[in-house]
Short mmCIF file of all heavy atoms in Angstrom, two decimals:
data_model
loop_
_atom_site.label_atom_id
_atom_site.label_comp_id
_atom_site.label_asym_id
_atom_site.label_seq_id
_atom_site.Cartn_x
_atom_site.Cartn_y
_atom_site.Cartn_z
N SER A 632 86.31 26.84 157.74
CA SER A 632 85.78 27.47 158.95
C SER A 632 85.52 26.46 160.06
O SER A 632 85.82 26.72 161.24
CB SER A 632 84.48 28.23 158.63
OG SER A 632 84.75 29.38 157.88
N TRP A 633 84.94 25.32 159.75
CA TRP A 633 84.64 24.35 160.80
C TRP A 633 85.91 23.69 161.33
O TRP A 633 86.03 23.38 162.51
CB TRP A 633 83.66 23.31 160.27
CG TRP A 633 83.01 22.50 161.37
CD1 TRP A 633 82.97 21.15 161.48
CD2 TRP A 633 82.29 23.01 162.50
NE1 TRP A 633 82.29 20.77 162.61
CE2 TRP A 633 81.85 21.90 163.25
CE3 TRP A 633 81.97 24.29 162.94
CZ2 TRP A 633 81.12 22.03 164.43
CZ3 TRP A 633 81.24 24.43 164.12
CH2 TRP A 633 80.83 23.30 164.85
N TYR A 634 86.88 23.49 160.47
CA TYR A 634 88.20 22.99 160.91
C TYR A 634 88.82 23.96 161.90
O TYR A 634 89.31 23.55 162.96
CB TYR A 634 89.09 22.79 159.69
CG TYR A 634 90.57 22.76 160.01
CD1 TYR A 634 91.14 21.72 160.75
CD2 TYR A 634 91.41 23.78 159.55
CE1 TYR A 634 92.50 21.69 161.03
CE2 TYR A 634 92.77 23.75 159.83
CZ TYR A 634 93.31 22.72 160.56
OH TYR A 634 94.65 22.71 160.85
N TRP A 635 88.78 25.25 161.58
CA TRP A 635 89.34 26.24 162.51
C TRP A 635 88.60 26.19 163.84
O TRP A 635 89.23 26.29 164.91
CB TRP A 635 89.22 27.64 161.91
CG TRP A 635 90.14 27.90 160.76
CD1 TRP A 635 91.40 27.42 160.59
CD2 TRP A 635 89.87 28.72 159.61
NE1 TRP A 635 91.93 27.87 159.41
CE2 TRP A 635 91.01 28.68 158.79
CE3 TRP A 635 88.78 29.47 159.21
CZ2 TRP A 635 91.09 29.37 157.59
CZ3 TRP A 635 88.86 30.17 158.02
CH2 TRP A 635 90.01 30.12 157.21
N TRP A 636 87.30 26.05 163.79
CA TRP A 636 86.51 26.04 165.03
C TRP A 636 86.87 24.83 165.89
O TRP A 636 87.11 24.95 167.09
CB TRP A 636 85.02 26.04 164.69
CG TRP A 636 84.16 26.07 165.91
CD1 TRP A 636 83.65 25.00 166.59
CD2 TRP A 636 83.71 27.24 166.61
NE1 TRP A 636 82.92 25.41 167.67
CE2 TRP A 636 82.95 26.79 167.71
CE3 TRP A 636 83.89 28.60 166.41
CZ2 TRP A 636 82.35 27.67 168.60
CZ3 TRP A 636 83.29 29.47 167.30
CH2 TRP A 636 82.54 29.00 168.38
N LEU A 637 86.91 23.66 165.26
CA LEU A 637 87.20 22.43 166.01
C LEU A 637 88.62 22.44 166.58
O LEU A 637 88.88 21.89 167.65
CB LEU A 637 87.01 21.21 165.12
CG LEU A 637 85.57 20.90 164.69
CD1 LEU A 637 85.55 19.70 163.75
CD2 LEU A 637 84.69 20.62 165.90
N ARG A 638 89.56 23.03 165.87
CA ARG A 638 90.95 23.04 166.29
C ARG A 638 91.29 24.25 167.18
O ARG A 638 92.41 24.37 167.66
CB ARG A 638 91.87 23.05 165.07
CG ARG A 638 92.18 21.66 164.55
CD ARG A 638 93.15 20.95 165.47
NE ARG A 638 93.59 19.68 164.91
CZ ARG A 638 93.25 18.50 165.38
NH1 ARG A 638 92.41 18.42 166.40
NH2 ARG A 638 93.71 17.40 164.84
N GLY A 639 90.34 25.15 167.41
CA GLY A 639 90.62 26.31 168.25
C GLY A 639 91.54 27.31 167.58
O GLY A 639 92.35 27.95 168.25
N LEU A 640 91.43 27.45 166.25
CA LEU A 640 92.32 28.34 165.50
C LEU A 640 91.58 29.58 165.00
O LEU A 640 91.92 30.14 163.96
CB LEU A 640 92.91 27.58 164.29
CG LEU A 640 93.66 26.29 164.63
CD1 LEU A 640 94.04 25.55 163.36
CD2 LEU A 640 94.92 26.62 165.43
N ARG A 641 90.59 30.01 165.78
CA ARG A 641 89.70 31.07 165.27
C ARG A 641 90.40 32.41 165.13
O ARG A 641 90.02 33.25 164.32
CB ARG A 641 88.50 31.18 166.20
CG ARG A 641 87.72 29.87 166.32
CD ARG A 641 87.10 29.65 167.69
NE ARG A 641 87.04 28.21 168.00
CZ ARG A 641 86.60 27.73 169.14
NH1 ARG A 641 86.19 28.54 170.10
NH2 ARG A 641 86.60 26.43 169.35
N SER A 642 91.45 32.66 165.90
CA SER A 642 92.10 33.97 165.86
C SER A 642 92.95 34.16 164.62
O SER A 642 93.39 35.27 164.33
CB SER A 642 92.96 34.15 167.11
OG SER A 642 94.01 33.19 167.13
N GLU A 643 93.23 33.10 163.87
CA GLU A 643 94.08 33.22 162.68
C GLU A 643 93.35 33.86 161.50
O GLU A 643 93.99 34.33 160.57
CB GLU A 643 94.60 31.84 162.26
CG GLU A 643 95.50 31.18 163.29
CD GLU A 643 96.11 29.89 162.76
OE1 GLU A 643 95.94 29.63 161.55
OE2 GLU A 643 96.74 29.17 163.52
N VAL A 644 92.04 33.84 161.54
CA VAL A 644 91.28 34.15 160.33
C VAL A 644 91.06 35.64 160.07
O VAL A 644 91.15 36.08 158.92
CB VAL A 644 89.91 33.43 160.38
CG1 VAL A 644 89.23 33.49 159.02
CG2 VAL A 644 90.07 32.01 160.85
#
Side-chain angles (χ1 to χ4, degrees):
S632 289
W633 196 234
Y634 159 67
W635 289 326
W636 182 269
L637 292 177
R638 273 287 187 250
L640 303 173
R641 302 147 211 177
S642 63
E643 296 187 8
V644 192

